[in-house]
Amino acid sequence: MGKQQVQQYLKQLDIRKSVVGLATGATAVYLLYKAVRAGMKCQPPLSTASPTCIARLAIERERQGRDSGELRRLLNSLERKQDEYAKSMILHSITRCVYLLEAEASACTTEDIMLVGCMLDDKDNSVKTQALNTLKAFSGFRKFKLKIQEHSIKVLELLSTIWDSELHLAGLRLLNSLSLPDFAHPQLRRVMPALIEILQSDYILAQVQALRLLSSLAQKNDLLYDILNCQVHSNFLNLFQATQPGSLLFEALVFAERLSEGRNTPHYRAVQWHYNERSLHEALFGDGSRLADRLLALVIHPEEEVQIQACKVIVSLQCPQGSAVQLSSSGKTSHSIFNSGK
């Protein structure tokens, strides 16, 4: 065997050893991945400890089969008087623990949820934001959902009274993880303009979450008119430009489809609705709307899910009677080859 062959053989041995090492350490790698993912789910304060220390606790728990006690220690420390920065750091660590130490999180109580919920009344916006992230983490457990829903009115109030992009993102993510109860509908009507304003902000992550929430609310008969009559900026249709990120475009198209389907239902059409001239309805479905042009451009978008969703909106813009239509460049509909979506 030549020198080069020997070196190649040794290299292959090293590679095999590395593969075996990776396989045997799969549990640790997975938990470290969860740690990083948990850290991405909530924005940390400026100088929090690395999430890998909590991942080590999770690994130890897997090995020893007993609680680390870390989550309970953090919750107990939250009960003591802390300054705003300390509370923010503690809440951030609690959030990571909930994602990583699932058994310990499941053992928590509704009193713990109430404790975190109290932080929504803190005067510091970063504490509010971290509390929203923590509630979002706990919402992954069915046993806590009803208790967390009780805070939905407060969350809506925060979204409508505080202009903070990170708080908006955290609040919207929380609301999207819940089934909003009917008792929240009056508050939703009051905050609808704020939700539409967040939708028109320049923070893409919050815009996507706002669209998901609004798409869900658009399916509620008693909220549809409130959404459609909200005032929007003159450049609202920029949301449907091909240059927008695909994730934002897709959610905007889903929203448009839900609104179009809702306004064409017999229940909705039975009432003669009147819309503000600057309303969302006029921007999307009015005689002067340029939505048709945007949709036709998106049919050839590079991302397939955007193409498909654009076609779905086009189909939904047919006449309510189900006759085939075509979108003209002026945004109006006319009879043509679109054969009832088939």
Side-chain angles (χ1 to χ4, degrees), residues 74-322:
L74 288 166
L75 285 165
N76 289 342
S77 67
L78 192 62
E79 290 181 325
R80 298 192 291 271
K81 190 172 183 180
Q82 307 276 2
D83 62 36
E84 277 69 27
Y85 184 70
K87 281 187 282 190
S88 196
M89 291 179 65
I90 292 167
L91 285 164
H92 181 68
S93 294
I94 290 172
T95 303
R96 294 188 305 203
C97 279
V98 172
Y99 285 119
L100 287 167
L101 306 172
E102 293 179 10
E104 294 181 37
S106 181
C108 289
T109 66
T110 54
E111 285 73 21
D112 296 320
I113 302 299
M114 291 172 63
L115 173 64
V116 174
C118 288
M119 298 295 114
L120 297 178
D121 292 315
D122 195 273
K123 62 182 180 181
D124 187 81
N125 286 348
S126 65
V127 174
K128 293 185 178 80
T129 302
Q130 295 302 326
L132 290 166
N133 285 328
T134 304
L135 290 173
K136 168 63 173 67
F138 273 117
S139 72
F141 298 87
R142 184 179 298 178
K143 61 184 283 189
F144 298 130
K145 278 191 177 288
L146 286 176
K147 181 55 65 175
I148 295 173
Q149 277 181 5
E150 294 177 8
H151 298 286
S152 56
I153 299 295
K154 180 64 179 179
V155 177
L156 289 169
E157 179 190 332
L158 294 176
L159 291 175
S160 62
T161 58
I162 299 174
W163 194 256
D164 181 287
S165 57
E166 294 302 331
L167 185 144
H168 290 165
L169 176 60
L172 290 166
R173 288 181 67 245
L174 173 58
L175 293 177
N176 281 327
S177 72
L178 304 172
S179 297
L180 289 177
D182 290 344
F183 67 73
H185 284 199
Q187 179 72 359
L188 279 164
R189 289 190 186 90
R190 287 191 288 272
V191 306
M192 205 66 76
L195 295 178
I196 295 294
E197 198 63 36
I198 294 171
L199 168 58
Q200 297 173 98
S201 68
D202 293 325
Y203 188 33
I204 292 172
L205 294 177
Q207 288 176 284
V208 167
Q209 293 297 323
L211 282 165
R212 288 176 182 169
L213 178 60
L214 288 164
S215 293
S216 174
L217 299 178
Q219 295 176 295
K220 309 289 184 182
N221 289 331
D222 60 328
L223 295 176
L224 182 58
Y225 175 74
D226 297 278
I227 297 173
L228 285 170
N229 200 40
C230 277
Q231 292 192 19
V232 296
H233 301 169
S234 58
N235 63 349
F236 180 80
L237 288 183
N238 286 352
L239 278 172
F240 298 88
Q241 282 185 334
T243 53
Q244 296 282 13
S247 59
L248 181 63
L249 270 175
F250 175 77
E251 296 296 343
L253 289 166
V254 170
F255 182 43
E257 182 191 13
R258 298 272 172 84
L259 292 174
S260 179
E261 289 178 343
R263 66 190 281 269
N264 285 330
T265 59
H267 174 82
Y268 194 79
R269 297 182 71 239
V271 179
Q272 186 69 36
W273 302 102
H274 298 281
Y275 302 100
N276 185 290
E277 62 181 14
R278 293 179 53 198
S279 68
L280 175 60
H281 179 276
E282 293 305 294
L284 291 177
F285 311 117
D287 290 342
S289 174
R290 306 292 296 181
L291 178 62
D293 297 333
R294 303 298 169 91
L295 292 174
L296 292 173
L298 294 178
V299 168
I300 57 171
H301 191 273
E303 297 186 32
E304 186 178 7
E305 68 171 5
V306 173
Q307 293 178 20
I308 293 171
Q309 193 57 46
C311 290
K312 286 182 178 180
V313 179
I314 290 171
V315 170
S316 75
L317 289 173
Q318 312 177 81
C319 297
Q321 292 81 6

